[in-house]
Amino acid sequence: MQAALEEAQKGKEEGGIPIGSVIVHDGKIIGRGHNRRVQQGSAILHGEMDALENCGRQAASVYRESVIYTTLSPCSMCSGAILLYGIPKVIVGENKTFMGEEELLRSRGVEVEVVQDPGCIALMEEFIATRPQLWNEDIGE
């Protein structure tokens, strides 16, 4: 989770939305990323999507043996990608500031663990308080 939080901090430092993610296979980070919608002018570069993109092409078996760490509960788009690639476990930094599609993931057999990390919560609470318009854009409101 620390590596995902470091990615989120990078996003904040770049003027973007502070959400980070890493994908771990066989104990090694194979992809890392952070929300880069603002930085890239992208509609889809949430933290999880950026981490998947940065994995490069992987065999389906790699995803089926991986864990994705994300600082914030995954939205419907990111949850769909997790399901598409068959990632069996998601470790969520926090879902206090935003509840994503955890129940959808669980209903499809994905193990979801929420750790309520104080650093993840503080980072998002500060961001939402200081940049509410950008936050609402990111979650489609």
Side-chain angles (χ1 to χ4, degrees), residues 95-112:
N95 64 7
K96 180 180 173 198
T97 62
F98 177 79
M99 174 59 76
E101 297 292 339
E102 295 172 24
E103 288 309 312
L104 170 64
L105 291 167
R106 287 184 181 107
S107 77
R108 298 283 298 274
V110 176
E111 181 183 350
V112 178

Side-chain angles (χ1 to χ4, degrees), residues 37 97-99 128 132-141:
R37 289 185 64 249
T97 62
F98 177 79
M99 174 59 76
I128 292 168
Q133 185 175 5
L134 184 55
W135 169 242
N136 287 333
E137 176 190 321
D138 194 60
I139 60 174
E141 290 187 9

Side-chain angles (χ1 to χ4, degrees), residues 3 21-33 50-69 85 87:
S21 182
V22 296
I23 300 170
V24 176
H25 178 260
D26 200 23
K28 297 176 194 154
I29 294 174
I30 61 170
R32 59 175 58 230
D50 193 39
L52 281 164
E53 178 69 17
N54 291 327
C55 279
R57 291 179 59 197
Q58 299 290 331
S61 61
V62 170
Y63 292 115
R64 289 192 302 263
E65 298 169 349
S66 294
V67 177
I68 187 166
Y69 292 76
Y85 288 103
I87 298 172

